[in-house]
């Protein structure tokens, strides 16, 4: 791993001052910004910092590397988040590799529905798979934009927020909060990010589409959960079923549906 600390200065304003000699002069206020870059050579470059610091750091990295290295931004497919929810909530299913989901408590979905608007968000739920607003949104083809919860990696429990645009925020909770040193916190976060990105690449590039997308019965399970909570949905789910029939390459079995 190659690690670097990027520091740059910004100058703001054009202020008039009187110097020690009593002469009027112009000056600018200097501020210092910094971000940390970790190159998990040769596969990943991770930038640690706020969004306002990540973007200029990325531009500097691209400029420094020029045409010698191809750098692509990583974004997560919303269906990958749906797959994580399915594997976490369905008994007998599992997530391959060293990462597991302990709970999913917050999420954000987006789409274009009159009754939901363009975006919906649930926070601090005990289980988003049982959240009626999230179930209704998913059954109407809205897509995940964010997932948050506790993930385990090699025995360490981390609270993480992951967004489809490729931003991963490892929060100060769980093993990160209990870590004795900043170095240990950084190493735990880097381990999670590295393993999570590897998991996503395996899902994206290597999985059979029957494993990559949840079975059609999963959507009926969501509707069953809603029914147990006295919620009835009257909207049409034909487009949703057709979409995942095409993605999985199978035709829906009518016996899969009791609530849709």
């Amino acid at each position: 791993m190659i690690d670097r600390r990027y520091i740059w200065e910004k100058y703001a304003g054009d202020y008039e001052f009187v110097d020690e000699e009593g002469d009027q002069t112009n000056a600018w206020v200097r501020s210092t910004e910094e971000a940390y870059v970790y190159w998990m050579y040769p596969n990943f470059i991770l930038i640690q910092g706020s969004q306002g610091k990540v973007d200029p750091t990325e531009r500097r990295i691209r400029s420094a590397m020029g045409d010698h290295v191809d750098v692509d931004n990583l974004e997560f497919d919303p269906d990958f988040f749906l797959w994580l929810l399915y594997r976490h909530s369905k008994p007998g299913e599992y997530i391959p590799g060293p990462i597991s989901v302990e709970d999913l408590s917050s999420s954000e979905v987006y789409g274009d529905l009159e009754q939901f608007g363009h975006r919906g968000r649930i926070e601090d739920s005990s289980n988003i798979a049982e959240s009626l607003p999230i179930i209704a949104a998913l059954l109407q083809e809205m897509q995940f934009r964010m997932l948050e919860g506790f993930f385990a990696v090699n025995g360490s429990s981390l609270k993480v927020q992951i967004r489809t645009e490729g931003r991963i925020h490892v929060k100060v909770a769980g093993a990160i909060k209990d870590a004795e040193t900043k170095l240990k916190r950084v190493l735990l976060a880097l381990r999670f990010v590295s393993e999570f990105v590897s998991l996503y690449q395996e899902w994206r590039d290597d999985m059979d589409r029957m494993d990559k997308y949840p079975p059609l019965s999963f959507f009926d399970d969501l509707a069953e959960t809603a029914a147990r909570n006295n919620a009835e949905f009257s909207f049409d789910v034909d487009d949703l079923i057709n979409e995942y029939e095409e993605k999985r390459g199978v035709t829906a079995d009518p016996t899969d549906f009791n609530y849709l």
Side-chain angles (χ1 to χ4, degrees), residues 167-256:
R167 183 168 177 79
I168 300 176
H169 181 191
V170 181
K171 299 196 170 185
V172 182
I176 293 290
K177 184 177 181 180
D178 297 334
E180 298 87 357
T181 64
K182 180 179 179 180
L183 175 60
K184 187 173 181 179
R185 291 195 294 271
V186 169
L187 292 176
L188 283 169
L190 288 176
R191 180 61 185 272
F192 173 81
V193 172
S194 175
E195 294 290 357
F196 189 82
V197 171
S198 294
L199 174 65
Y200 174 67
Q201 291 179 323
E202 178 184 354
W203 176 88
R204 183 190 64 190
D205 301 333
D206 300 329
M207 283 191 182
D208 180 270
R209 57 182 178 170
M210 292 286 285
D211 295 324
K212 190 174 182 179
Y213 302 102
L216 299 169
S217 59
F218 172 63
F219 299 106
D220 193 65
D221 293 340
L222 294 177
E224 179 185 4
T225 299
R228 289 201 309 267
N229 288 276
N230 301 314
E232 294 184 7
F233 301 134
S234 59
F235 41 75
D236 190 344
V237 297
D238 287 349
D239 288 344
L240 174 71
I241 299 304
N242 291 338
E243 176 186 350
Y244 283 90
E245 281 182 328
E246 183 176 345
K247 287 179 175 179
R248 286 173 56 85
V250 297
T251 301
D253 185 339
T255 62
D256 287 338

Side-chain angles (χ1 to χ4, degrees), residues 17-250:
F17 290 90
V18 176
D19 63 20
E20 295 178 352
E21 305 297 328
D23 298 325
Q24 187 171 333
T25 185
N26 291 342
W28 292 263
V29 176
R30 183 184 69 178
S31 62
T32 302
E33 305 284 357
E34 66 179 32
Y36 293 86
V37 177
Y38 305 94
W39 190 355
M40 317 292 282
Y41 185 84
N43 297 318
F44 315 129
I45 295 178
L46 311 176
I47 303 174
Q48 179 189 9
S50 65
Q51 191 64 43
K53 297 175 182 178
V54 167
D55 291 341
T57 303
E58 180 185 348
R59 290 194 294 270
R60 286 171 170 81
I61 292 172
R62 289 181 179 273
S63 176
M65 290 183 172
D67 298 329
H68 303 291
V69 178
D70 291 328
V71 181
D72 294 322
N73 287 333
L74 176 68
E75 296 182 351
F76 299 115
D77 190 316
D79 272 324
F80 175 59
F81 287 10
L82 185 67
W83 176 82
L84 286 173
L85 177 65
Y86 165 68
R87 289 295 179 102
H88 167 61
S89 60
K90 188 69 173 178
E93 295 293 341
Y94 69 97
I95 295 172
I99 285 182
S100 62
V101 179
E102 295 180 336
D103 75 66
L104 294 172
S105 57
S106 300
S107 65
E108 186 177 306
V109 292
Y110 71 99
D112 190 12
L113 298 176
E114 290 184 2
Q115 59 268 53
F116 285 92
H118 295 285
R119 188 176 72 173
R121 186 181 179 99
I122 293 294
E123 294 185 350
D124 300 323
S125 169
S126 59
N127 180 4
I128 63 169
E130 297 181 354
S131 166
L132 294 181
I134 293 298
I135 290 174
L138 293 177
L139 292 179
Q140 293 185 94
E141 300 176 83
M142 295 185 80
Q143 296 182 316
F144 279 119
R145 176 169 284 173
M146 179 274 285
L147 282 181
E148 180 178 320
F150 276 93
F151 294 76
V153 56
N154 297 117
S156 297
S157 179
L158 308 177
K159 188 174 185 180
V160 185
Q161 183 186 99
I162 308 150
R163 304 191 67 87
T164 52
E165 59 265 32
R167 183 168 177 79
I168 300 176
H169 181 191
V170 181
K171 299 196 170 185
V172 182
I176 293 290
K177 184 177 181 180
D178 297 334
E180 298 87 357
T181 64
K182 180 179 179 180
L183 175 60
K184 187 173 181 179
R185 291 195 294 271
V186 169
L187 292 176
L188 283 169
L190 288 176
R191 180 61 185 272
F192 173 81
V193 172
S194 175
E195 294 290 357
F196 189 82
V197 171
S198 294
L199 174 65
Y200 174 67
Q201 291 179 323
E202 178 184 354
W203 176 88
R204 183 190 64 190
D205 301 333
D206 300 329
M207 283 191 182
D208 180 270
R209 57 182 178 170
M210 292 286 285
D211 295 324
K212 190 174 182 179
Y213 302 102
L216 299 169
S217 59
F218 172 63
F219 299 106
D220 193 65
D221 293 340
L222 294 177
E224 179 185 4
T225 299
R228 289 201 309 267
N229 288 276
N230 301 314
E232 294 184 7
F233 301 134
S234 59
F235 41 75
D236 190 344
V237 297
D238 287 349
D239 288 344
L240 174 71
I241 299 304
N242 291 338
E243 176 186 350
Y244 283 90
E245 281 182 328
E246 183 176 345
K247 287 179 175 179
R248 286 173 56 85
V250 297

